[in-house]
Amino acid sequence: MSDHIKRFKKIIQKLRENHHKITPQRLAIVKILAQSKGHPSVENIYGKIKQDFPTMSLATVYRNIVLIKSLGEVLELGFPDGSNRYDGNKPYPHPHLICIKCKKIVDPDLDSLDDMKNEVANETGFKILNHRLDFFGICSSCQEEK
Amino acid sequence: MSDHIKRFKKIIQKLRENHHKITPQRLAIVKILAQSKGHPSVENIYGKIKQDFPTMSLATVYRNIVLIKSLGEVLELGFPDGSNRYDGNKPYPHPHLICIKCKKIVDPDLDSLDDMKNEVANETGFKILNHRLDFFGICSSCQEEK
DNA sequence: TTTTCTGCAAATGCTTTGCATGGGA
DNA sequence: TCCCATGCAAAGCATTTGCAGAAAA
């Protein structure tokens, strides 16, 4: 079974467990989040669903994202300019690499972060619960263009 | 000469070099940014200045922060909930440790980040220009309280 | 004197919320 | 049937902007 189908089923199961109704709108939102290779924005999600479901409302997208976030099944990548992006595939904190030209977001492999977390915790006495690491740059396709 | 006086002079100099006028409002904002041990918010800055300068406007704080940012002399720590914070002491990217209870922000020592940047660049072909690393947790004073 | 800066208020843009209707279970 | 979920429109909130008067240089 492919990864995104597993994620889809997992999220739906989580919703059922918590006695939330499975509506067509919710189903459509979960489907997109579970695929979410490109870290979609709210507008992305809204736009895609609106094609086959013209009455879909933005408020419904927002409310469902809040809900799914509260179940721990989507990671919100918030940006101060309001261009938030969502990752329903890997809902746990992990580093991101963001192209400032085409806005593509990819997940690099990196595992030295845990050591860093422990180092910081020991040094400062903080109990560290969460983190966020973004690298900003220009992806290889955007470097080719002039 | 203390560090924050150096920063203050440096920012004022940068303003002069770029032919910006030195107004009392601007001076007050720079003074707070240059001290900025606690990574102040716009509201912090505005509130402090308003005490001796009652006509000070929020728009002026925002406009001056945009200006000083454009000169590269303040680091903006943007958060999606609009609780942005500013660091005029170390205007270059560096890791932050944020207490989710008291909202304190401290700068831990960490130097393994450059290796990580190179690793990611090599792995992905990105040209990395910038980064942002935040750890979220509970500081030692907040851990003591129940 | 000239040009930039400030203060005020209105505008923006994303997100949230109130309320009445609609639709899962 | 009984609530929860949805759609719509209005409200929120940090930030930006237009404009006329004030003040650096």
Side-chain angles (χ1 to χ4, degrees):
Chain A
M1 186 162 47
S2 88
D3 244 35
H4 70 258
I5 294 182
K6 272 188 214 157
R7 284 297 302 149
F8 175 77
K9 294 198 169 179
K10 174 71 190 283
I11 299 174
I12 296 295
Q13 174 201 337
K14 230 8 183 332
L15 285 165
R16 286 197 208 282
E17 277 171 9
N18 290 274
H19 314 295
H20 298 290
K21 296 176 178 171
I22 308 299
T23 64
Q25 293 92 329
R26 191 159 279 170
L27 215 55
I29 293 166
V30 171
K31 198 163 291 179
I32 292 178
L33 286 177
Q35 303 184 111
S36 109
K37 291 163 199 173
H39 305 77
S41 65
V42 167
E43 277 301 331
N44 287 159
I45 297 170
Y46 174 65
K48 274 188 204 165
I49 298 177
K50 193 130 206 197
Q51 291 173 4
D52 338 77
F53 206 137
T55 68
M56 163 65 71
S57 136
L58 250 186
T60 296
V61 180
Y62 278 108
R63 276 190 280 235
N64 275 287
I65 286 182
V66 168
L67 174 64
I68 299 168
K69 237 192 324 178
S70 77
L71 300 174
E73 294 298 332
V74 70
L75 177 71
E76 181 175 60
L77 286 179
F79 296 94
D81 68 344
S83 62
N84 294 2
R85 306 275 290 260
Y86 296 87
D87 188 340
N89 264 310
K90 295 162 73 176
Y92 47 86
H94 60 278
H96 288 92
L97 188 45
I98 301 166
C99 178
I100 58 178
K101 286 190 75 175
C102 69
K103 311 299 177 192
K104 179 169 46 192
I105 300 183
V106 303
D107 297 347
D109 289 326
L110 255 191
D111 33 39
S112 40
L113 209 53
D114 272 340
D115 300 336
M116 206 178 267
K117 183 155 79 180
N118 294 330
E119 188 182 332
V120 171
N122 291 335
E123 180 194 319
T124 62
F126 268 61
K127 180 183 297 180
I128 295 177
L129 303 171
N130 203 349
H131 69 267
R132 168 88 180 264
L133 172 56
D134 295 337
F135 293 100
F136 300 91
I138 301 181
C139 71
S140 43
S141 354
C142 285
Q143 286 175 51
E144 286 165 22
E145 301 163 21
K146 264 279 106 61
Chain B
M1 185 160 51
S2 89
D3 243 35
H4 69 259
I5 293 182
K6 273 187 215 154
R7 285 297 301 151
F8 175 76
K9 295 197 169 182
K10 173 73 190 280
I11 298 174
I12 297 296
Q13 176 201 335
K14 227 15 182 327
L15 285 166
R16 284 196 208 284
E17 276 171 11
N18 288 275
H19 314 295
H20 298 290
K21 297 177 179 173
I22 308 300
T23 65
Q25 293 92 329
R26 191 160 280 171
L27 215 56
I29 293 166
V30 171
K31 199 164 288 177
I32 293 178
L33 285 178
Q35 303 185 111
S36 106
K37 293 165 197 171
H39 305 78
S41 65
V42 166
E43 276 301 332
N44 288 159
I45 298 171
Y46 174 66
K48 275 187 203 167
I49 298 178
K50 192 131 205 195
Q51 291 173 3
D52 336 78
F53 207 138
T55 68
M56 164 64 72
S57 136
L58 250 186
T60 296
V61 180
Y62 279 108
R63 276 191 279 233
N64 275 287
I65 286 182
V66 169
L67 173 64
I68 300 168
K69 239 193 320 178
S70 77
L71 300 174
E73 294 299 332
V74 70
L75 179 71
E76 181 175 61
L77 286 178
F79 295 95
D81 69 344
S83 62
N84 294 4
R85 306 276 288 263
Y86 296 87
D87 188 340
N89 264 311
K90 296 162 73 178
Y92 46 86
H94 59 277
H96 288 93
L97 189 46
I98 300 166
C99 177
I100 58 177
K101 286 190 76 176
C102 68
K103 312 299 177 194
K104 180 168 44 192
I105 300 183
V106 302
D107 297 346
D109 290 324
L110 255 192
D111 32 40
S112 38
L113 209 52
D114 271 338
D115 299 336
M116 205 178 265
K117 184 156 75 177
N118 294 330
E119 188 182 330
V120 170
N122 290 335
E123 181 193 317
T124 61
F126 268 61
K127 180 183 297 179
I128 295 178
L129 303 170
N130 202 349
H131 68 267
R132 169 89 180 264
L133 172 57
D134 295 337
F135 292 100
F136 300 91
I138 301 180
C139 71
S140 42
S141 356
C142 285
Q143 286 175 49
E144 286 165 20
E145 301 161 20
K146 265 280 105 62

